[in-house]
């Protein structure tokens, strides 16, 4: 399991490197080459490291075929898939499928001619949010993090009167003596660096917010 976590961390670091290179090239062309992404990830991790790792087929086992870049927003949606070998077959399976995802905005500047159109109102979204926001300063986008004693969490409610539940990303087992929570979130966290306490906000035209509803707090 430690080796699996090490490989996942290495792949994520390689994705950061590859995504930044793709973002730099975005001003030339708003297209992404899966093979170029794969080569950059392998370069960042090290082909020798991959060849002697538990990744099936080593450096050639890294696939970015489902990665794409939006022609309208320049947002790169990277998806990396690979297989890792299991030391002991589980239900006759000798390997397990792994997938890592990441989004990054291409460095192509601000296109005011497109964004200023009346029928393409600018709205704001997060990586995992299910709604879009019309106000960049919406409370759901600007997190107000505070520290509380773990023993008091069950009695606390957020500003929407919801109970707080353990974060499935950073609370494994018992909570720490001091935990972190926000005014509008419904999770408490053991780690201040948890991704659940971070917001990456993207400005997009409302026509790109397909499948997302309007935030009830800032879209009234």
């Amino acid at each position: 399991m430690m080796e699996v976590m090490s490989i996942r961390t290495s792949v994520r670091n390689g994705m950061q490197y590859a995504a930044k290179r793709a973002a730099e090239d975005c001003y030339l062309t708003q297209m992404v080459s899966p093979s170029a992404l794969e080569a950059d990830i392998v370069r960042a991790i090290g082909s020798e490291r991959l060849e002697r790792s538990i990744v099936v087929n080593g450096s050639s086992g890294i696939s970015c075929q489902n990665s794409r870049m939006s022609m309208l927003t320049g947002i790169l949606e990277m998806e990396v898939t690979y297989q890792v070998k299991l030391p002991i077959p589980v239900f006759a399976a000798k390997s397990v499928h792994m997938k890592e995802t990441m989004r990054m905005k291409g460095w192509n500047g601000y296109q005011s001619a497109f964004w200023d159109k009346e029928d393409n109102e600018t709205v704001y979204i997060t990586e995992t949010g299910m709604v879009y926001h019309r106000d960049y300063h919406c409370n759901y986008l600007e997190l107000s993090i505070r520290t509380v004693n773990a023993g008091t969490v069950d009695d606390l409610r957020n500003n929407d009167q919801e109970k707080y539940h353990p974060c499935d990303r950073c609370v494994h087992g018992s909570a720490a003596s001091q935990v972190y929570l926000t005014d509008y979130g419904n999770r408490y966290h053991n780690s201040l660096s948890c991704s659940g306490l971070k917001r990456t906000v993207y400005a997009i035209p409302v026509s790109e917010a397909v499948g997302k509803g309007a935030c009830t707090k800032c879209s009234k």
Side-chain angles (χ1 to χ4, degrees):
M1 289 302 297
M2 291 183 66
E3 175 63 6
V4 171
M5 292 303 297
S6 176
I7 285 295
R8 293 195 67 183
T9 299
S10 297
V11 171
R12 295 288 298 179
N13 290 338
M15 291 172 68
Q16 286 275 4
Y17 172 77
K20 288 179 180 178
R21 283 179 57 90
E24 291 174 0
D25 294 337
C26 184
Y27 76 98
L28 293 175
T29 174
Q30 286 186 301
M31 295 180 63
V32 64
S33 167
S35 59
L37 293 176
E38 293 163 3
D40 283 336
I41 291 173
V42 171
R43 185 180 299 110
I45 299 173
S47 58
E48 183 179 345
R49 163 79 170 99
L50 286 169
E51 295 303 332
R52 56 183 173 81
S53 72
I54 60 174
V55 176
V56 176
N57 296 324
S59 57
S60 61
I62 301 295
S63 174
C64 297
Q65 294 306 309
N66 292 327
S67 300
R68 65 185 183 86
M69 180 174 284
S70 169
M71 297 292 289
L72 293 176
T73 65
I75 293 177
L76 167 64
E77 295 186 0
M78 186 186 297
E79 180 180 304
V80 179
T81 58
Y82 55 100
Q83 301 273 341
V84 295
K85 305 169 190 172
L86 296 176
I88 301 175
V90 178
F91 300 114
K94 296 182 180 180
S95 63
V96 62
H97 179 78
M98 305 293 288
K99 181 172 75 171
E100 314 291 345
T101 59
M102 180 178 294
R103 302 183 79 199
M104 181 173 288
K105 177 72 169 63
W107 300 351
N108 58 353
Y110 176 73
Q111 300 175 352
S112 59
F114 172 79
W115 294 82
D116 288 344
K117 292 182 179 179
E118 291 184 1
D119 58 348
N120 273 298
E121 172 193 3
T122 300
V123 295
Y124 307 94
I125 63 171
T126 63
E127 291 184 349
T128 58
M130 299 302 294
V131 300
Y132 62 82
H133 306 264
R134 288 193 164 92
D135 183 0
Y136 183 77
H137 298 289
C138 177
N139 289 326
Y140 285 115
L141 295 178
E142 294 188 333
L143 296 181
S144 176
I145 303 171
R146 55 194 172 99
T147 307
V148 301
N149 189 302
T152 66
V153 172
D154 287 342
D155 300 322
L156 299 176
R157 299 291 184 272
N158 66 16
N159 285 6
D160 290 325
Q161 298 305 306
E162 294 179 296
K163 291 186 64 175
Y164 290 98
H165 303 281
C167 171
D168 55 4
R169 302 177 189 178
C170 66
V171 179
H172 305 291
S174 301
S177 58
Q178 297 288 321
V179 296
Y180 305 94
L181 47 80
T182 63
D183 291 338
Y184 287 92
N186 59 7
R187 295 288 186 270
Y188 62 84
H189 308 263
N190 275 348
S191 173
L192 190 59
S193 61
C194 176
S195 59
L197 287 173
K198 300 181 184 299
R199 289 286 186 273
T200 300
V201 181
Y202 298 99
I204 65 170
V206 70
S207 59
E208 280 276 295
V210 178
K212 296 181 183 291
C215 171
T216 57
K217 179 169 289 294
C218 64
S219 298
K220 294 179 181 179

